Amino acid sequence: MIIKNADFEITAVSPAQYPVSDFPEVAFVGRSNVGKSSILNTLTNRKNLARVGGTPGMTKTINFFNIDERMFFVDLPGYGYASVSKGKKSSWETIVEQYLFTRSNLKMVIMLLDIRHSPTKDDKIMYKWILDSEIPYIIVASKADKISKGQILKHVQVIRTELQISPDIKIIPFSSQTRQGKEDILEIIGTLL
């Protein structure tokens, strides 16, 4: 899959604000600061399509990005950031759950996990939801450039073991710096079109 044009479409906090379209949607989920904005920018060859925040937990809305007038990439608010108040965390969870449970356009979920760390309780909850939903998904181990190449397989195996991911499911190591994994991810997304 080659992306020629990628543009910010709309920000939403409720279903009434989602774009009216029959385009398939690919949602990006993961903990705060896992690199969702970075992967969006890398996949679309745009430096600032999605804002990369210096402070974890900054994305508080659902952001839709129009990809070649054929699909939407959907950036969901990150979960699991400890310094966010309980009230704010609850409202973000509602925003994410409404989208994931009600959006018929949702055709694939890309779950990002930081390759350097074991999956958290929140990661395990999200992965269980993805399995239960039966929506096609990709597991991406982000920030692969932050560890040595010789350690990548070991860290991928920790993710596989902690989340009990079956051996037939591929985990894609990804780096926005080196672009490792970009083509593999785009190839899988391309199967939706």
Side-chain angles (χ1 to χ4, degrees):
M1 175 179 171
I2 297 170
I3 295 174
K4 295 178 181 171
N5 294 297
D7 296 297
F8 171 76
E9 182 82 11
I10 198 167
T11 290
V13 293
S14 70
Q17 298 170 328
Y18 300 162
V20 177
S21 141
D22 58 0
F23 292 168
E25 294 175 4
V26 177
F28 292 77
V29 300
R31 287 186 300 118
S32 295
N33 207 29
V34 75
K36 289 190 309 300
S37 297
S38 295
I39 194 173
L40 284 162
N41 291 335
T42 301
L43 294 178
T44 58
N45 292 316
R46 296 274 304 271
K47 286 186 178 175
N48 298 306
L49 180 68
R51 287 194 190 142
V52 178
T55 307
M58 289 306 293
T59 304
K60 303 172 184 73
T61 56
I62 300 174
N63 294 309
F64 291 81
F65 300 94
N66 186 320
I67 306 301
D68 288 331
E69 293 293 329
R70 300 192 304 170
M71 72 169 33
F72 286 114
F73 283 176
V74 183
D75 184 11
L76 297 175
Y79 53 79
Y81 190 57
S83 74
V84 172
S85 71
K86 283 187 178 177
K88 196 169 274 191
K89 185 176 180 184
S90 175
S91 73
W92 293 359
E93 287 170 357
T94 300
I95 290 168
V96 172
E97 286 174 3
Q98 275 185 322
Y99 174 81
L100 292 174
F101 291 134
T102 66
R103 187 64 168 167
S104 62
N105 298 54
L106 178 59
K107 302 302 180 198
M108 182 176 286
V109 175
I110 296 181
M111 181 175 183
L112 276 77
L113 298 148
D114 188 326
I115 198 167
R116 302 170 297 176
H117 307 296
S118 293
T120 65
K121 179 182 169 188
D122 289 328
D123 290 324
K124 292 175 182 177
I125 291 167
M126 177 56 71
Y127 185 62
K128 183 178 182 330
W129 179 88
I130 291 170
L131 290 179
D132 292 345
S133 75
E134 298 185 358
I135 293 170
Y137 66 93
I138 303 172
I139 301 292
V140 173
S142 66
K143 306 191 181 189
D145 57 290
K146 305 288 188 192
I147 61 173
S148 70
K149 287 185 180 179
Q151 293 292 304
I152 287 178
L153 286 178
K154 178 183 138 191
H155 286 260
V156 165
Q157 190 55 47
V158 168
I159 291 171
R160 186 176 298 284
T161 302
E162 287 288 313
L163 293 183
Q164 299 176 347
I165 298 170
S166 96
D168 59 312
I169 300 295
K170 186 175 180 183
I171 299 173
I172 302 173
F174 173 81
S175 165
S176 60
Q177 299 298 315
T178 67
R179 301 181 173 276
Q180 176 184 358
K182 175 185 173 183
E183 296 308 321
D184 291 339
I185 296 165
L186 286 174
E187 185 178 328
I188 296 168
I189 294 172
T191 63
L192 296 177
L193 298 174

